[in-house]
């Protein structure tokens, strides 16, 4: 209807993988669990490789308030990423015949404690790291020829 062919969603998400420092890595993938149903899509970044790129499965929660210790224990072996939007956006894109992909900064680790997390994400050093990751995201987008 509006001529949109592809949507690249850029944002931030949490990881369920040990050893992943917040604000150092970029997440992408083509699978999400949305309200108990696994969905899959064609990811334009599926072949992108880099020292700080992590490909994985995503879990879509309605809210970060659902990210309890019990929930993490239940899903950490099967999923690498969590956020409340990616799966819903993928469903909406699919419904409208639009290609969907994402590159997100990993901003929080739900299975290990680090000095950087969502409670202090406005600190100058964290904002500087995020700027570096966003610049890298733009390079990856250009590499696949989306812009």
């Amino acid at each position: 209807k509006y001529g949109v062919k592809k949507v690249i969603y850029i944002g931030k998400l949490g990881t369920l993988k040990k050893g992943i420092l917040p604000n150092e890595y970029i997440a992408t993938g083509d699978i999400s669990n949305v309200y108990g149903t696994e969905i899959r899509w064609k990811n334009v970044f599926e072949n992108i490789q880099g020292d700080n790129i992590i490909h994985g499965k995503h879990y879509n929660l309605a809210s970060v308030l659902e990210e309890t210790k019990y929930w993490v224990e239940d899903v950490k072996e099967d999923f690498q990423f969590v956020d409340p939007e990616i799966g819903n956006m993928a469903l909406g894109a699919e419904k409208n015949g639009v290609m969907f992909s994402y590159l997100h900064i990993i901003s929080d680790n739900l299975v290990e404690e680090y000095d950087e997390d969502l409670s202090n994400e406005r600190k100058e050093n964290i904002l500087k790291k995020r700027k570096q990751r966003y610049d890298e995201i733009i390079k990856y987008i250009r590499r696949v020829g989306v812009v």
Side-chain angles (χ1 to χ4, degrees), residues 7 20 39 62 68 73 89 91 112 122 131:
V7 169
I20 304 301
I39 62 166
T68 66
E73 281 303 312
M89 291 184 77
L91 283 173
E112 294 181 316
R122 298 288 179 225
K131 166 91 171 77

Side-chain angles (χ1 to χ4, degrees), residues 19-55:
I20 304 301
L21 283 71
N23 305 305
E24 299 288 337
Y25 294 91
I26 298 169
T28 192
D30 62 358
I31 298 172
S32 182
N33 180 302
V34 184
Y35 309 117
T37 301
E38 186 172 284
I39 62 166
R40 176 173 247 149
W41 59 90
K42 174 84 171 126
N43 178 9
V44 298
F45 304 109
E46 69 184 336
N47 295 317
I48 289 287
Q49 299 298 316
D51 291 340
N52 67 342
I53 291 279
I54 299 174
H55 296 261

